[in-house]
Amino acid sequence: LSDFTPLKYSGGLPFTITGAIVSSADITPVNDGSAWEIFMDTVEIKGSNIPLLRRVLDDGLKLSSRELGSFLEENVEQYSNPKPVFETTYLDDM
């Protein structure tokens, strides 16, 4: 664009979209009970500052990340659903 006009463009949208990401997941103890495993379920966007987008998103549009992950596991050989493990380590235990 700057080759033909005095305007410059740095990329991205010329406005800001705001909102909150709301995630839900299952949390279960690992076999020995020393940590927790998290398995994502859904992801939603709530409270957008763009009226029509806000209405669509707040009416329950959500990404079912668990179903998407299961689909990918069945169809992409190298893929496995991530299940991060959260563990607390106390300095006294070291």
Side-chain angles (χ1 to χ4, degrees):
L1 189 62
S2 61
D3 291 344
F4 305 107
T5 66
L7 304 174
K8 294 187 184 220
Y9 179 68
S10 63
L13 299 173
F15 54 89
T16 302
I17 300 174
T18 61
I21 298 173
V22 180
S23 302
S24 63
D26 289 331
I27 183 167
T28 55
V30 294
N31 292 338
D32 64 0
S34 65
W36 297 91
E37 186 176 69
I38 294 182
F39 192 28
M40 291 300 298
D41 189 29
T42 60
V43 178
E44 302 175 74
I45 307 293
K46 296 287 186 181
S48 173
N49 63 329
I50 300 175
L52 294 175
L53 185 59
R54 180 182 189 132
R55 184 173 196 174
V56 169
L57 295 173
D58 286 352
D59 281 347
L61 179 67
K62 58 179 89 172
L63 171 65
S64 182
S65 51
R66 187 173 299 180
E67 289 178 17
L68 175 61
S70 295
F71 174 80
L72 290 172
E73 279 185 323
E74 292 170 8
N75 296 290
V76 179
E77 185 177 323
Q78 305 88 345
Y79 182 82
S80 65
N81 253 337
K83 294 183 184 176
V85 175
F86 290 87
E87 184 175 10
T88 302
T89 303
Y90 296 97
L91 293 177
D92 294 348
D93 294 341
M94 297 181 130

